[in-house]
């Protein structure tokens, strides 16, 4: 089973820790990197501004993503790993950029030349406990306002080696984390054995940012996507959706993250659930949002579902091989009948999801900027909102190795204002992972929500048995 959770839950066995970090020469050259005309993506720009605004929080406010895997051998070739790390960074131009924030709120990109990228191994010696390893990874991986906000490492033991990539969220979405792990493995293998030829040439993330900006700069208040977002917000008291139950958030400081992961269905139950959705002309994704709506109705009596989901904006094979933040948020909104069963709810949920997909090019951050002078719209830049993400990992190349390599994805205990959910379908099971504010009220509310949601999946799959 792939491990998900907060970094506190990562338990790497002790061993000799080798890290790969930017060399002094690379840092000096990167600091002189010239300005580049392509701005960050809308997601990156808002993320950078939030990180800068909360730089005095006393903890890492920005997201840190740690991708891990186990190699059943204790003889990692450090020279080959060094070559693989540098080849990886040079292949993806997102990792060659850093940003400065101007006093007027402007965000300026700087581009580091590929030949100036140089990560070198550092031997940190024997580490005798997992906590020290976790602390090391967090302390040695800089935040998003620094170029080298990503590090690599290996924990060597006699019989096995744990390898990891720690990268700030600035440079990677969930799919990018998978790409990174798979590509690093292939680059290493090509050094110690032979080139498998499995790696496609990745697209430029900067080209994507330029394309996104060119499209969104043409948007106006009369653009169809902007009008649709405006309608949804006005129908929700001018606000983005929120988790339907009390989270008990403190208002005088930061709320840190809590996590839980549960198994929703085994493989057979997931197939039955999928079949029920298909019989109603819907997909598994539609079923997820129908289940969420029914859980919300059960808990709150709501007659309207308004949720958000992240959508990959990769549109080509080259972009599907590129590490970057290729994501926009889209809405999923539809009415909930007081007695509407799942089989009637799921087609409505599917239509709402499909309608939301049409808004994928219309970046929400740009929409909120256009609507900022509208007194009826209370949502603004930086507004927190819940989300449900769905990934069918069976469609990913090499997914059969995820369990074999005991892979894991872990996040730091950053600030948490809302409930974020990831539903992942694996060959053997479907899981739900939740990140939420670490408060007593939120623990209770999330527990009740997860129980209600899981009950819908169980009931639908059970009736199809």
């Amino acid at each position: 089973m792939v491990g998900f959770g907060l970094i506190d839950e990562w338990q790497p066995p002790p061993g000799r820790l080798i890290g790969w970090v930017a060399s002094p020469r690379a840092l000096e050259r990167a600091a002189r990197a010239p300005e580049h005309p392509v701005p960050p993506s809308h997601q990156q720009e808002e993320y950078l501004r939030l990180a800068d605004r909360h730089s005095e929080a006393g903890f890492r406010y920005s997201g840190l993503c740690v991708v891990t895997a186990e190699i059943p051998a204790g003889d990692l070739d450090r020279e080959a790993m060094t070559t693989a790390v540098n080849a990886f960074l040079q292949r993806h131009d997102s990792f060659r950029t850093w940003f400065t924030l101007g006093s007027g709120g402007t965000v300026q990109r700087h581009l580091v030349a590929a030949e100036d990228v140089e990560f070198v191994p550092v031997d940190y010696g024997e580490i005798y406990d997992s906590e020290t390893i976790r602390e090391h990874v967090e302390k040695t991986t800089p935040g998003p306002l620094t170029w080298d906000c990503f590090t690599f490492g290996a924990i060597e033991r006699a019989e096995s080696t744990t390898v990891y990539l720690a990268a700030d969220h600035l440079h990677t979405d969930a799919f990018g984390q998978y790409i990174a792990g798979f590509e690093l493995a292939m680059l290493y293998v090509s050094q110690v054995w032979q080139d498998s030829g499995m790696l496609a040439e990745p697209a430029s993330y900067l080209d994507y940012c330029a394309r996104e900006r060119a499209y969104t700069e043409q948007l106006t208040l009369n653009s169809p996507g902007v009008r649709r977002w405006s309608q949804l917000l006005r129908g929700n008291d001018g606000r983005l959706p929120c988790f339907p139950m009390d989270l008990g958030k403190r208002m005088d400081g930061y709320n840190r993250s809590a996590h839980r992961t549960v198994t929703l269905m085994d493989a057979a139950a997931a197939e039955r659930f999928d079949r029920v959705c298909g019989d109603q002309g819907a997909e598994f994704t539609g079923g997820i949002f129908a289940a969420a709506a029914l859980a919300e109705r059960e808990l709150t009596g709501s007659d309207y579902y308004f949720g958000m989901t992240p959508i990959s904006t990769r549109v080509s094979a080259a972009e599907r091989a590129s590490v970057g933040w290729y994501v926009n948020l889209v809405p999923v909104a539809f009415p909930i009948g007081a007695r509407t069963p799942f089989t009637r709810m799921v087609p409505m949920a599917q239509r709402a999801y499909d309608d939301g997909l049409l808004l994928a090019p219309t970046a929400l951050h740009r929409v909120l900027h256009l609507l900022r002078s509208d007194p009826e719209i209370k949502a603004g830049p930086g507004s927190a909102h819940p989300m449900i993400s769905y990934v069918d990992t069976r469609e990913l190349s090499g997914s059969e190795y995820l369990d074999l390599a005991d892979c894991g994805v872990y996040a730091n205990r950053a600030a948490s204002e809302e409930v974020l959910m990831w539903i992942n379908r694996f060959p053997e099971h479907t899981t739900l992972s939740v990140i939420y504010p670490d408060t007593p009220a939120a623990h209770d509310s999330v527990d009740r929500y997860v129980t209600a949601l899981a009950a819908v999946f169980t009931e639908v799959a059970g009736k199809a048995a």
Side-chain angles (χ1 to χ4, degrees):
M1 181 173 177
V2 177
F4 290 94
L6 298 174
I7 194 169
D8 302 358
E9 300 166 88
W10 180 36
Q11 297 290 333
R16 191 172 196 87
L17 178 59
I18 311 298
W20 280 264
V21 298
S23 70
R25 182 180 67 172
L27 290 172
E28 188 266 334
R29 292 183 176 181
R32 302 200 311 263
E35 294 182 354
H36 193 278
V38 173
S41 70
H42 286 289
Q43 284 274 16
Q44 286 182 314
E45 181 176 15
E46 183 58 33
Y47 178 83
L48 287 163
R49 286 177 173 163
L50 282 172
D52 181 61
R53 195 177 309 149
H54 298 281
S55 58
E56 303 300 321
F59 62 96
R60 187 187 185 113
Y61 183 88
S62 65
L64 178 65
C65 308
V66 183
V67 182
T68 71
E70 299 294 324
I71 299 174
D75 56 349
L76 186 76
D77 187 322
R78 297 183 189 177
E79 183 176 348
M81 190 65 179
T82 301
T83 300
V85 164
N86 284 290
F88 170 74
L89 294 175
Q90 290 162 359
R91 280 169 55 86
H92 301 283
D93 56 9
S94 184
F95 289 113
R96 294 195 289 110
T97 62
W98 57 274
F99 300 92
T100 53
L101 278 70
S103 56
T106 58
V107 181
Q108 178 64 57
R109 183 191 299 272
H110 296 256
L111 182 63
V112 181
E115 59 269 21
D116 290 338
V117 174
E118 181 185 45
F119 270 50
V120 295
V122 178
D123 191 335
Y124 296 103
E126 291 288 334
I127 306 295
Y128 297 102
D129 62 278
S130 300
E131 182 179 0
T132 301
I133 294 172
R134 294 193 299 267
E135 290 177 352
H136 169 89
V137 173
E138 291 197 89
K139 289 179 179 178
T140 59
T141 308
L145 299 177
T146 302
W147 164 56
D148 58 325
C149 56
F150 35 85
T151 59
F152 306 79
I155 307 157
E156 301 177 339
R157 297 172 290 274
E159 303 298 331
S160 65
T161 303
T162 302
V163 294
Y164 68 82
L165 159 64
D168 193 274
H169 199 355
L170 176 72
H171 291 298
T172 175
D173 54 25
F175 189 68
Q177 291 160 25
Y178 166 77
I179 294 171
F182 179 75
E183 184 170 300
L184 274 169
M186 291 298 99
L187 289 167
Y188 176 78
V189 165
S190 71
Q191 290 296 312
V192 296
W193 288 297
Q194 62 181 5
D195 191 344
S196 65
M198 293 180 65
L199 294 180
E201 189 65 24
S204 163
Y205 184 66
L206 272 67
D207 287 351
Y208 164 77
C209 293
R211 187 177 76 243
E212 180 193 57
R213 292 288 182 154
Y215 176 81
T216 59
E217 285 302 313
Q218 300 177 42
L219 296 175
T220 70
L221 291 173
N222 292 320
S223 298
V226 178
R227 290 204 309 270
R228 178 56 179 155
W229 268 116
S230 178
Q231 291 168 356
L232 288 168
L233 293 173
R234 291 175 194 279
N236 197 52
D237 191 32
R239 305 177 189 277
L240 291 170
C242 62
F243 188 68
M245 302 170 70
D246 178 34
L247 296 177
K249 296 182 294 185
R250 58 181 296 182
M251 307 306 293
D252 60 345
Y254 294 99
N255 299 281
R256 301 295 293 276
S257 301
H259 156 261
R260 67 174 300 189
T261 290
V262 300
T263 297
L264 290 175
M265 297 177 284
D266 61 21
E271 287 294 336
R272 294 195 300 271
F273 181 86
D274 203 354
R275 187 168 64 249
V276 173
C277 296
D279 289 344
Q280 305 304 318
E283 298 176 355
F284 199 94
T285 312
I288 287 172
F289 289 101
L294 290 173
E296 194 164 316
R297 184 181 71 184
E298 170 70 20
L299 293 166
T300 69
S302 175
D303 62 359
Y304 178 68
Y305 179 80
F306 184 12
M308 306 271 281
T309 187
I311 296 298
S312 175
T313 51
R314 292 173 170 87
V315 296
S316 67
E319 286 186 348
R320 286 190 287 274
S322 175
V323 178
W325 203 345
Y326 291 87
V327 168
N328 272 333
L329 288 158
V330 301
V332 182
F334 55 94
I336 309 172
R339 293 182 176 83
T340 305
F342 179 88
T343 51
R344 288 178 56 197
M345 187 84 71
V346 70
M348 292 190 292
Q350 187 65 51
R351 284 194 297 272
Y353 175 78
D354 292 341
D355 288 344
L357 290 180
L358 299 176
L359 297 179
T362 308
L364 176 59
H365 298 300
R366 173 61 174 160
V367 171
L368 295 178
H369 178 78
L370 289 170
L371 295 173
R372 66 192 185 283
S373 60
D374 188 328
E376 293 186 34
I377 303 300
K378 302 177 180 68
S383 297
H385 52 78
M387 71 161 203
I388 298 179
S389 170
Y390 172 61
V391 174
D392 187 344
T393 68
R394 301 172 308 162
E395 299 175 354
L396 303 177
S397 176
S399 61
E400 63 271 22
Y401 300 114
L402 294 177
D403 280 345
L404 292 176
D406 196 19
C407 295
V409 179
Y410 301 93
N412 62 316
R413 291 189 71 240
S416 179
E417 297 299 322
E418 263 294 350
V419 176
L420 310 178
M421 290 177 272
W422 292 264
I423 293 179
N424 296 299
R425 188 175 180 185
F426 298 99
E428 300 301 325
H429 47 253
T430 298
T431 64
L432 167 67
S433 295
V434 191
I435 299 290
Y436 57 95
D438 190 7
T439 69
H443 280 283
D444 179 67
S445 294
V446 168
D447 182 67
R448 292 172 59 200
Y449 182 91
V450 169
T451 299
L453 183 63
V456 177
F457 284 98
T458 298
E459 180 181 4
V460 173
K463 287 183 177 179

